[in-house]
Every structure is written in C-alpha cells, then in structure tokens.
Amino acid sequence: MCETGTKTYRNLWPDVVDWDNLLLAYQRCRRRKRFKPPAVRFHFNWEHNLLQLQQELIDGTWTPGRYYNFRIHEPKPRLISAAPFRDRIIHHAVVNVLEPIYERRFVFDSYACRRGKGTHRAIRRAQYFLHRYPYYLKTDIVRFFPSVDHAVLKQLLQRSIRDERLSVLLDQIIDSGRDVLSDEAPQHWFPGDGLLDVLRPKGIPIGNLTSQFFANVLLDPIDHFLAGHPESRGCIRYADDLLIFGDSKAALWHVRDALIDQLQQFRLQLHPNKTHVSPSRHGVKFLGLKVAADTCRLTQDAARHFNRKRRCLQFEFANGQRNLSSIRESLIAWQGHVDRCSDGGLQKSLRRRAVFNRNVCVRLHPIASAQSLFNRSSPFCDF
C-alpha cells in the first residue's frame, strides 16, 4: 500500500508482453480498420510482425513511431494525432492489463471510454438528475488534453503501478506526445509557479486509446472529490465535460470554487466562459443534444454539423473518393447517437436531403438514398 492507502500492483510486465494479450490487442486494434493500408500491411505477415513487436518490448528496444497529425473543426478545432498501427497495438495491450485494475476504483458516473457506459447512458443519467434536482452547474476544462501535465500524470500512475518496466513503457507513451503538442499546450500560471514550471512538458495526443484511459486516471480524484462534496447532489463526467447538480445556485457556485482549487493540484483550469449555473427545468446542452428531464432534442449546432458532413460525403461519393459502405457506417453512427431524440420530423428532414449519386462522368452507379442506408432491412445494411 502507498501512502494514500491506494493498492499497488507489481509484476504486471509479463501480462503486458504475454502473447495472448498482444494477440488480443492486435485483434482489437484491427477491428473496423482491417481494410486500412497500415492494417493490411501489418496483417500480410502478422505473426512475424507481432513476434517482432513482442521481442522489442522484451528487449527494451521499442520506441514510439512518428504520429500522423491532422486537424478537425467540429465541434471545435482540435489537433488529432494518430500513432502508427504497431504502436496502437501496444496501447491496446497496456490498456488490456491496466483497465481492470482502475475500473474497480472509478466512480459510477464517469462515462467516457468505459465498457458499459457511453453517451446514451450519460444522457439518461443526466435526465434522471434533471428530474430530481432544481439546478445544475455545467463546465469543462480548458484545453484538457493539451494541458495534461506529464509529471502529474506519471505521479498518479506510479501510486498504483510499481512495475519498473511497465512504468518505463508508460513514460515512453506519455512522452511521445511532447513534440507533437508543444505548440498546442496552453501556458497556465498557478500560485507559486516559476518560469520552469510553466514550461513543464504537457499534452497527450487525442487520437491514442491510452490518452482516453489516462484522462480517466487523471480525473478520477476529481470524481471522488465531487462525489464526496456536501453540496454536490450528483455529478456526471464525460471526458472533461462536467455536469454537477445541486439544490441551489449558491451551493453550486460553492462547488465551483472548491473545484477550481482542487484542479490546481493537477495543473488544470476550468473554462471561465463555459461555466454556468442554470435551472434544471430549462434543460442542458450535453454531448451534442438538448437534454431535458423528459425529452431529448437535436441542437441547431448538431443539425448544421450533420448538413456539413452530408455535403462532404456527397462530394466525396460523386468523385469516387468514398463507397456506400463507408457512407453507411457514418450515417448509421449518426443515427445511433440521435435515436433517443424526440424530434423525428427534423431527423427525417435531414435524411431526406442525403441523396448520394455517383457522378456519371466518373462511374455510373444507381442512386442510393439516405433512407435506404438508414433502413435496417436495406441490402446496404448487414446487421
């Protein structure tokens, strides 16, 4: 046991480099990406490649590869960094071993990147709290992933993980994002900081599976703090988005002040322009939807985002850059997110505009409507 009473774990390295664990990690990494060029190249001689990767881990010669970086602008501008395919196998192998350990201590109302959780359960839980408590505090953390302090994260992991070789591997994965996010990391000043403190290494790539896991590890003490706060009646966290429920506005502002002080210990800050207290009867914009106690609707931003995505898909399909299979996956994923919404008329209107027609001068193709892509009995959908 460490000084905080947290159980520690040793001798985890053999589990990480075990062949069965690496094979499972490879299978999970390849899921839904088996036709991508990196996955195809690795699979061409997968047994040899996986054995080589295992040997590099055992010998201590593995080093992180170069990230592929690109930017997205929805729902807000972000830099996404994708690790090489073989590195992602290692990320899955590490999470396979560590996830069961940390899952036991995570609070119930943390919903991001956890088995059996997800956006739908978070929304249902928000509706439960909206029905029960008169006020909520909505907030998030300023540029969370670029702001993650490497030293703080490593210290949190070392409280539980006392395996030297695994700790070295975790440090390598964390440090791999240093150069990628050097220009993205915000320069926050905290009480007692000097120049060297502000320049500490920060940032973990959003595209890594390990980054989502590390986010839950880093914010788990915050979850427990809010769960035990006397004026917090309920709290939902999805990644760095927080919904806190209470009996009065004054109580929730007190929770906000205490949360700011608590986050400073982890060198994180609340977003001042995205922190507000509102009556529960007005509902809340949460995870891209307008959530009320008894209803759930699409926001205008979500509808505009779908229209932009639809026009992009139509352009790519007309120019032969996408096939119906990939379009179907995108549209069905969107439908899965909005299935709980009560504004069926708006959904039908959005789908009606999504007609895909291959440009005749590129290649003749029968017209496929979004209605057929959404229909589970359609030949396009293999359920």
Side-chain angles (χ1 to χ4, degrees):
M1 302 290 287
C2 68
E3 66 276 9
T4 59
T6 302
K7 184 177 180 180
T8 60
Y9 294 84
R10 305 174 188 273
N11 301 319
L12 296 175
W13 180 251
D15 295 333
V16 174
V17 298
D18 179 74
W19 172 259
D20 291 337
N21 182 48
L22 290 174
L23 179 59
L24 176 62
Y26 167 59
Q27 292 168 345
R28 288 178 173 175
C29 188
R30 189 167 173 257
R31 191 179 302 162
R32 294 188 297 274
K33 298 183 183 296
R34 62 182 61 198
F35 299 117
K36 300 289 185 180
V40 171
R41 286 193 293 268
F42 192 95
H43 186 68
F44 182 74
N45 195 10
W46 70 269
E47 288 180 310
H48 170 77
N49 292 331
L50 200 59
L51 281 169
Q52 183 179 12
L53 190 59
Q54 181 188 42
Q55 195 60 47
E56 289 179 18
L57 289 171
I58 293 172
D59 295 341
T61 57
W62 176 80
T63 56
R66 189 174 182 179
Y67 282 91
Y68 168 69
N69 302 307
F70 60 95
R71 292 189 179 273
I72 61 172
H73 301 279
E74 293 289 348
K76 59 184 178 181
R78 286 193 182 103
L79 176 68
I80 307 298
S81 302
F85 184 81
R86 68 197 312 267
D87 289 7
R88 296 202 297 271
I89 295 174
I90 293 177
H91 298 170
H92 276 269
V94 168
V95 172
N96 287 348
V97 173
L98 296 186
E99 187 177 53
I101 293 173
Y102 282 91
E103 186 64 29
R104 303 185 190 108
R105 65 186 70 172
F106 288 159
V107 300
F108 178 83
D109 283 319
S110 167
Y111 289 89
C113 301
R114 293 179 63 193
R115 298 181 189 278
K117 300 291 184 176
T119 56
H120 287 182
R121 290 181 183 270
I123 289 170
R124 286 198 295 270
R125 188 65 165 168
Q127 289 179 310
Y128 168 78
F129 284 132
L130 287 168
H131 184 76
R132 188 169 182 180
Y133 300 108
Y135 296 97
Y136 68 84
L137 166 69
K138 184 175 186 293
T139 186
D140 69 10
I141 297 172
V142 177
R143 304 191 67 187
F144 172 68
F145 285 97
S147 298
V148 171
D149 188 282
H150 289 190
V152 172
L153 176 57
K154 292 175 183 178
Q155 184 179 19
L156 278 174
L157 289 167
Q158 288 167 4
R159 289 181 184 177
S160 299
I161 308 303
R162 297 296 179 88
D163 185 302
E164 183 178 354
R165 298 201 65 181
L166 178 55
S167 294
V168 170
L169 178 61
L170 292 174
D171 289 351
Q172 284 182 289
I173 295 173
I174 294 170
D175 292 338
S176 67
R178 181 184 303 180
D179 296 333
V180 175
L181 297 171
S182 58
D183 297 331
E184 302 288 318
Q187 303 299 325
H188 295 319
W189 289 85
F190 295 93
D193 273 356
L195 180 60
L196 294 180
D197 293 309
V198 177
L199 299 178
R200 289 158 61 133
K202 291 188 289 289
I204 52 178
I206 296 178
N208 285 354
L209 173 68
T210 48
S211 296
Q212 314 301 322
F213 173 74
F214 291 154
N216 284 335
V217 172
L218 181 59
L219 294 178
D220 182 58
I222 302 298
D223 294 336
H224 285 278
F225 167 77
L226 290 172
H229 195 283
E231 293 180 292
S232 171
R233 297 292 178 256
C235 177
I236 298 172
R237 182 177 65 81
Y238 192 94
D240 64 317
D241 290 330
L242 287 163
L243 270 180
I244 307 167
F245 298 85
D247 296 324
S248 69
K249 288 185 176 181
L252 288 174
W253 285 123
H254 291 157
V255 174
R256 188 279 311 265
D257 294 339
L259 179 59
I260 289 174
D261 293 339
Q262 192 72 12
L263 284 171
Q264 285 184 356
Q265 301 179 31
F266 303 94
R267 304 189 64 80
L268 298 171
Q269 291 183 346
L270 287 186
H271 202 301
N273 299 328
K274 296 182 179 179
T275 301
H276 62 271
V277 175
S278 300
S280 295
R281 66 178 182 274
H282 293 165
V284 57
K285 288 184 179 179
F286 185 51
L287 301 180
L289 302 176
K290 179 68 173 180
V291 182
D294 301 314
T295 60
C296 185
R297 295 181 176 275
L298 281 173
T299 63
Q300 291 184 353
D301 289 340
R304 283 194 292 266
H305 170 61
F306 176 78
N307 276 325
R308 284 194 289 268
K309 181 69 173 177
R310 182 257 307 168
R311 288 194 293 268
C312 180
L313 290 174
Q314 287 172 327
F315 175 83
E316 292 176 349
F317 182 74
N319 288 276
Q321 298 171 359
R322 274 186 180 263
N323 56 30
L324 281 178
S325 177
S326 63
I327 292 174
R328 178 202 63 194
E329 291 176 1
S330 295
L331 296 181
I332 292 176
W334 179 81
Q335 179 180 321
H337 181 58
V338 302
D339 261 348
R340 295 183 54 82
C341 296
S342 56
D343 45 5
L346 176 58
Q347 292 185 46
K348 289 180 181 177
S349 174
L350 292 173
R351 294 171 187 165
R352 199 176 297 119
R353 302 176 193 174
V355 176
F356 297 87
N357 187 10
R358 186 76 82 189
N359 191 320
V360 177
C361 25
V362 176
R363 186 173 69 172
L364 291 174
H365 197 287
I367 295 176
S369 69
Q371 191 65 32
S372 67
L373 288 170
F374 277 103
N375 187 350
R376 289 174 181 257
S377 62
S378 164
F380 292 113
C381 300
D382 303 322
F383 288 94

